[in-house]
Each structure stands twice: as C-alpha cells, then as structure tokens.
Amino acid sequence: MPENTQDRTGVWLIGARGSVGTTTIAGCAAVAAGLTPPTGMVTETEPFAGCGLPALSSLVLGGHDTAATPLPKRAEELVAAGVLPYGLPAAIEAELRAADEAIRPGSAAVADPRGEERLIAAFAADLRNFARAHDLARTVVVNVATTEPAPAGDAFPPSSLYAAAALRAGCPYVNFTPSAGLRHPRLRQAAARSGLPSAGRDGKTGQTLLRSVLAPMFAQRALDVRAWSGTNLLGGGDGAALTDPEAAAAKNAGKARVLSDTLGRLPDGELHIDEVPALGDWKTAWDHIAFEGFLGARMALQTIWQGCDSALAAPLVLDLARLVARAHQAGVTGPVDGLGFYFKDPDSGPSALPHQWHALLALGDRLRDAA
C-alpha cells in the first residue's frame, strides 16, 4: 500500500509556537513542497516505504500554546538564530499562517484557576473542533513544550491536562518531553481503557543518543566503565526551564537510564545542565568516560556534541506523528512497541540504539503487513 494521500491527519503540537514546534511546522511544509530534502527523517528512508504512513502533504498542523507571537514571526526569529534557512518563512508563509490560525490558548500554570475539569474539557473541545474543521481522519497530539518539574502531588501538571484531553478526544498521544504527560498515576487506567496508541518519553536528540551508541560498545567489549560524567550547555526556553533543579532532575533521569540499562549499573559521575542564554537554540554536550581495560589499564574517552536542538528534534517529531497515526489506523493500542529508538525513557524495550533500531524496523514490518 502506498503512502495514504486520501485521509488528512492532524498533528496537534503542545507548545506549537516554541522553537521545536515552529521548526516542525516549517520543516513539514518545506519538505512537502520539495523545498528541502527530508534529512533526519527516518520515515523517509527505504525501510519504511510501503508502510502506509500518512504523506507529509496530508498533515494538518495546529496546537496549544501560551505564547502569542505568531508563527511567521517566530520563524523569522529562528532564521536570525541560524535554525531555519534564509527565505524559508516567506516561501511557506501561507502554511505558517494556516497553522497559526489553528493554535489555541493553552495553560502553563499548575494551579490554573479554571480547574482541571474545565481545562481538560476545553482542550478536548479544541481537538474535536480542529478535527471537524479540517475533516481529519485522526489527530496525533505531540507534547513539545518546555520541560516541567516532576509532579509534587496528586494534581495534574499542564502536560497531564493535555494528555487527559487527548484521551477524552480520542487522540493518540506522544510525549517528546520528560514531563509527566500520560504517565501521571491518575491517567494509567484511563489510558489503558482508551484503546489509543501512545509513545514516550523525552526525545533523544543529542547527548543521550551518543550515550546509547557508546554504552553498548563498552558492555560488548567487556570494558569496565568506572565513571561517566557530562555537562550540557544550552540556551532557549529549555535552558531557562532547566535551571529549576526539579525540572533538571526529570531531564537527567532519562539520560541516566540508558547507562544503567545497558551497563547493568549507573557508573559514578555527575551530569550538569547549565543555562547559557547566548547559545539560543544551540547546545553543547560534553562527556568524560573513565574506563578500565586489560591488566587494569586506565583509559578515558571524551566526546563533544554541538547541535541545534530544534533541527535535531523536528524530524523526529514528524516521524513519530506519522508512525503513531499509522499505528492508530492499524488498530494498535497502548504504548507502541518499537518506538524506543526515539526516546531517552521509552515505554518499553531496550535502551541500546542498535537494539532499538531493529525494534523500529520490526514495527515498520508490522505496519507494512497491516497495510
């Protein structure tokens, strides 16, 4: 079965006017129009041909956000920051404006005076109205908002309000952040009853991607990792949010998981996240790995990763939206096996990237067989 060009699929971004959301929307329009190649999109590679994924041209984008800056303006800001190429916002202005018109006001307050029930009902109504207005076969909700601290009590943080609204509106859900989202204890039963596919948590775009490649190397070569330390320097909204120790702890939990899962234990060492506002949407990640070899020889490996987080994340967001939409069409329910490739803290499966890649290929085969 070729790509599904008949049905229109909604992609509803929580944090649609943020850097990742704007880059995702601009990138989808640019690739669909043939203005740029789909670099970084795994779903556009040969192993996923014939899986029945929704065509990029069939995606309709909208979302929730608390920011008021229109998408065309945000896109121009990202051009100035070196994230988007010069001239792109003008070339896709109509698509940016259409997506911006579909963005609805969100909530960033844990204690929003409107209360949980009214907020969930309002967010679910936004999703239903979006689907009805654009005649959508389905809508995938993807959380790309700024990282939250872990919930301190029973109340829903904003990410879980949006996740609850997705369930109520019958929408598959993807959590690309380390925030609670669908994993809040109060949502477990509702998620299980919903029969909807989901995926998460915390997109793997840089330092942890490298860790998921290097950790298996040490384990498979029987080299003893004595310590693994790291530092992240980043700006932008996430840089500011992660100055909160609780938000940073939520972020670091996923980064540590790949080491403990792959090596069988968490090595000594600290992981620091430091805000450097001048970096904007760019980040630098440095790791120092102390390991021991034959006859007790002590050695070290140091790595430096410098990248643009939005440009690394956006193609993964599009991949996940397409894969989860196709899984929903195929009748898959619950956490979608095989999507750990994209996450620091996956719902299921191994943490080592090579094993995750094979699991993703197996998912592609299942979707192709169902096409």
Side-chain angles (χ1 to χ4, degrees), residues 7 20 39 56 81-82 112 184 205 234 253 259 272 274 306 326 352 371:
D7 293 340
V20 174
T39 306
L56 290 172
D112 190 298
H184 193 285
T205 59
L234 68 161
L259 298 184
H272 298 278
D274 297 325
Q306 294 177 306
R326 177 70 185 100

Side-chain angles (χ1 to χ4, degrees), residues 297-324:
R298 293 194 168 185
M299 297 168 273
L301 171 66
Q302 296 185 48
T303 67
I304 298 175
W305 177 285
Q306 294 177 306
C308 173
D309 213 31
S310 301
L312 290 164
L316 308 186
V317 171
L318 291 171
D319 276 352
L320 284 162
R322 299 174 81 197
L323 288 163
V324 172

Side-chain angles (χ1 to χ4, degrees), residues 44-259:
E44 285 293 296
T45 61
E46 183 59 31
F48 297 90
C51 290
L53 304 179
L56 290 172
S57 59
S58 76
L59 302 183
V60 182
L61 292 105
H64 281 115
D65 209 317
T66 57
T69 304
L71 280 175
K73 176 64 174 177
R74 284 291 293 123
E76 289 292 353
E77 291 172 353
L78 292 178
V79 170
V83 179
L84 299 182
Y86 178 80
L88 181 61
I92 57 168
E93 183 176 4
E95 290 88 344
L96 291 173
R97 292 194 180 281
D100 196 66
E101 289 174 3
I103 296 174
R104 296 293 175 262
S107 174
V110 174
D112 190 298
R114 288 172 286 180
E116 287 183 359
E117 177 53 35
R118 286 181 62 191
L119 284 168
I120 293 169
F123 295 157
D126 289 338
L127 286 164
R128 295 191 190 98
N129 292 338
F130 178 65
R132 186 164 46 250
H134 297 281
D135 192 24
L136 303 176
R138 59 192 48 82
T139 300
V140 180
V141 176
V142 187
N143 182 17
V144 292
T146 302
T147 300
E148 299 170 346
D154 195 45
F156 282 153
S159 66
S160 296
L161 294 173
Y162 294 122
L167 295 179
R168 189 171 297 187
C171 298
Y173 176 83
V174 177
N175 190 0
F176 202 74
T177 82
S179 302
L182 202 58
R183 291 197 190 177
H184 193 285
R186 287 174 54 200
L187 288 178
R188 287 176 185 161
Q189 289 186 356
R193 290 194 304 265
S194 72
L196 294 166
S198 61
R201 178 173 64 167
D202 198 2
K204 184 164 55 187
T205 59
Q207 184 180 46
T208 309
L209 177 65
L210 195 57
R211 287 180 167 207
S212 66
V213 174
L214 292 176
M217 177 191 74
F218 287 105
Q220 291 163 8
R221 289 296 298 269
L223 297 170
D224 182 26
V225 176
R226 299 172 49 244
W228 198 314
S229 300
T231 295
N232 279 265
L233 308 177
L234 68 161
D238 249 5
L242 293 173
T243 58
D244 181 332
E246 292 184 4
K251 188 77 170 176
N252 285 340
K255 290 178 175 289
R257 177 178 169 180
V258 67
L259 298 184

